[in-house]
Amino acid sequence: MGDEKNGKLMIISGPSGVGKSTICKRLVDEYENVSLSVSLTTRPKSESEVNGQDYYFVTREEFEKKINAGELLEYAEVFGNFYGTPKDKVEQDLSQGKTVILEIDVQGARKVKTRHPEVLMVFILPPTQKELAARMNDRGRDDEQTSRIRLSQADDEIASAWRYYNNMVINEDLDLAVGEVANIAGLSKKEN
């Protein structure tokens, strides 16, 4: 999976609210030959999400069948719900020479890294802890207790990332962060 004609596998991780999804979307929209892997999840779909675009929303039973069939590159249980990366689409995009982005957590990234040591690993950091808390609150997705859990988990994730990731990008200025991640991956801008 690592040679150039097969494309590149890239992981982008970071705590909730740090802007990973926005960075990933910009990379797909603005750079050549980039695809974003769509994860499976057992969590309920929000009103604004689109099945097959934001996530593939499946039942716990369907998810467990995919685990047992070996159809997932990685999976993890987060806040009581399963999240995982379907293998088939990733392999298809890599075989077409694309850079495939996996937007996954540190736990999943470590699993992928053991199977694919050549994977590019990028961790997105907030400018400050206070800024991260403000971004989480602005999203309005969580109650106060869940927000506290997410912030505590963010500290653990960041500490773990320093051990496992070789690329750290601070998302203080979105344009600069997108450009930095694109440089790490050696991506070329799309021509307008």
Side-chain angles (χ1 to χ4, degrees), residues 49-114:
E49 290 174 316
V50 178
N51 190 33
Q53 184 180 320
D54 297 298
Y55 287 97
Y56 294 109
F57 295 93
V58 297
T59 64
R60 198 168 187 91
E61 183 184 38
E62 289 171 300
F63 198 99
E64 288 169 355
K65 281 182 184 170
K66 291 196 177 291
I67 292 171
N68 294 332
E71 295 176 11
L72 300 176
L73 194 57
E74 59 78 36
Y75 65 91
E77 191 169 1
V78 182
F79 297 116
N81 293 299
F82 279 117
Y83 293 83
T85 304
K87 241 194 250 183
D88 55 353
K89 180 79 170 108
V90 170
E91 289 172 353
Q92 178 187 337
D93 284 354
L94 286 172
S95 73
Q96 294 171 358
K98 292 185 178 180
T99 295
V100 180
I101 300 170
L102 307 181
E103 184 188 332
I104 57 178
D105 68 2
V106 173
Q107 186 183 349
R110 288 175 59 195
K111 288 178 185 174
V112 172
K113 179 85 173 159
T114 59

Side-chain angles (χ1 to χ4, degrees), residues 4-10 24 26-36 92-101 185-191:
E4 281 310 303
K5 69 176 185 264
N6 278 348
K8 285 185 207 150
L9 194 55
M10 180 165 77
C24 290
R26 292 264 310 264
L27 290 170
V28 170
D29 290 347
E30 297 172 20
Y31 291 84
E32 289 181 5
N33 228 8
V34 178
S35 72
L36 177 61
Q92 178 187 337
D93 284 354
L94 286 172
S95 73
Q96 294 171 358
K98 292 185 178 180
T99 295
V100 180
I101 300 170
L187 301 175
S188 302
K189 272 264 201 202
K190 285 180 180 173
E191 301 202 13

